Every structure is written in C-alpha cells, then in structure tokens.
Amino acid sequence: MIDLETARQEVERGPRNSFSESFAELFNRQGVDSLHRSGGEHHLTASCLVIDPVTEAVLLNHHRKAGLWGQFGGHLESADASLHDAARREAEEESGLRPLTRVTADPIDLHVHDLSAAFGTCTRHFDVVFAAQASTDDSPNVSDESFDVAWFPLDRLPDDLMPDLPDRLPGLFRSAVSALSSRA
C-alpha cells in the first residue's frame, strides 16, 4: 500500500491550484488515514483522464453510483504502491483497456469534490488526476461500476457530466496533451 510520504510527494508534483492547500491540510489532519476509504469521510482518490489527442476525444464512464459521466477513478487499494499506480489500475479496470502504457508520471490536476448520499460514508474525495493516452480505435468494456463507457469528441460531450467537469474538461484535456507530449 502507498505510504503517506509517497502520496505527499506525488501531490506536490501536481500543479498548484486552489485545492493544493486542502490536500496538505487533509494529510496533516488525518495522516495515513487519509489514504484509506475506511479512514474517514474525507480521503484521497486517484483518477485518470483517458484521451485521444489525434481525434480530440475523451473516454468517459457513466458511473453507476453517481449516475453521471466522468473520468475513471476511485479509492486506493493495498496493491497500489503510488497514486500513479492507483490511477492506472482504476482506468484499466473501469475501461477494459489493458495495458495503458502511456500514463503521465505526475498528476495533471488536484481536485476536491463532495459526494452524494449514494456513496455511503464517503462525503468528500481529494482526487489526484493523472492522464493516459489511448486511441478511439480501442474498444472499451463496461465494468460493474459503470452503466456505459464511451469515447466523446470534446465538442460533443454528454449532457450529464459530473457537476464541474464541463468547465474543467477543456483545461484537463490541454494539460493531458501537454504532459503526454513531454513524456514522448
């Protein structure tokens, strides 16, 4: 399982934004419990935005609990040695695309969001967002956690996206393209 210091270092390598200080406060307040779903109502998650830069498309899942479209992601598990590993695992499990070989080494975004009652005891996720590259020619598979998985051109996104994703997605896409290009 990822340790607290590794998580802190990965978060610090992410872009500074309005949520950065919230992550530091979470780590200071909850310590290692911030890494576990069972550690309290507020905890870390890792997610992965899968893009196809050639067609300017994103691969999204229609999340079963949320009932909305969003990037792949979820809680950290004991086999995850890093947030990067957790983001890759979640994207591979939820998209069916294996292996995702082009995944950013560092986060492209840090985000904090509140959750609906459908998520049970989880009330707030501190999400560390990575990016991966795939092709719209790749055929995703729907996991038990989703109603559907589909590619969407950036100019034709579904109406029922996660609440703040319509505003964030263009910037996330640009950040993903930039990070993946610098990795080449």
Side-chain angles (χ1 to χ4, degrees):
M1 174 73 167
I2 183 174
D3 62 67
L4 185 60
E5 189 54 33
T6 299
R8 279 186 200 267
Q9 290 172 3
E10 283 186 283
V11 166
E12 288 171 5
R13 288 195 310 267
R16 299 289 301 163
N17 65 22
S18 61
F19 295 114
S20 299
E21 190 58 36
S22 298
F23 279 80
E25 291 169 7
L26 175 73
F27 291 145
N28 290 337
R29 183 177 62 249
Q30 291 181 220
V32 73
D33 285 344
S34 64
L35 306 177
H36 305 284
R37 178 190 326 214
S38 62
E41 297 175 338
H42 302 175
H43 46 262
L44 231 55
T45 55
S47 69
C48 190
L49 181 68
V50 179
I51 68 163
D52 181 338
V54 174
T55 63
E56 294 189 348
V58 293
L59 183 63
L60 301 174
N61 72 326
H62 193 195
H63 196 274
R64 195 170 291 279
K65 279 186 184 176
L68 300 167
W69 289 91
Q71 75 262 21
F72 305 99
H75 296 103
L76 310 180
E77 294 184 5
S78 60
D80 298 325
S82 65
L83 297 173
H84 172 269
D85 289 351
R88 176 195 302 264
R89 176 188 47 74
E90 287 286 344
E92 289 177 349
E93 287 175 359
E94 294 177 2
S95 73
L97 300 180
R98 287 187 178 102
L100 285 170
T101 56
R102 292 189 41 85
V103 181
T104 56
D106 296 328
I108 63 164
D109 193 35
L110 302 175
H111 189 258
V112 178
H113 53 271
D114 293 325
L115 303 165
S116 71
F119 287 85
T121 60
C122 297
T123 61
R124 180 171 287 165
H125 281 169
F126 290 70
D127 194 38
V128 183
V129 185
F130 292 81
Q133 184 173 330
S135 169
T136 54
D137 293 336
D138 296 334
S139 298
N141 295 305
V142 178
S143 76
D144 291 342
E145 296 182 38
S146 305
F147 290 120
D148 197 6
V149 177
W151 285 102
F152 294 95
L154 282 178
D155 61 356
R156 284 179 276 152
L157 295 169
D159 292 331
D160 49 348
L161 285 171
M162 298 282 182
D164 63 354
L165 201 51
D167 293 333
R168 291 178 54 228
L169 199 50
L172 287 174
F173 186 87
R174 285 189 303 274
S175 294
V177 168
S178 176
L180 289 161
S181 295
S182 68
R183 188 174 175 267

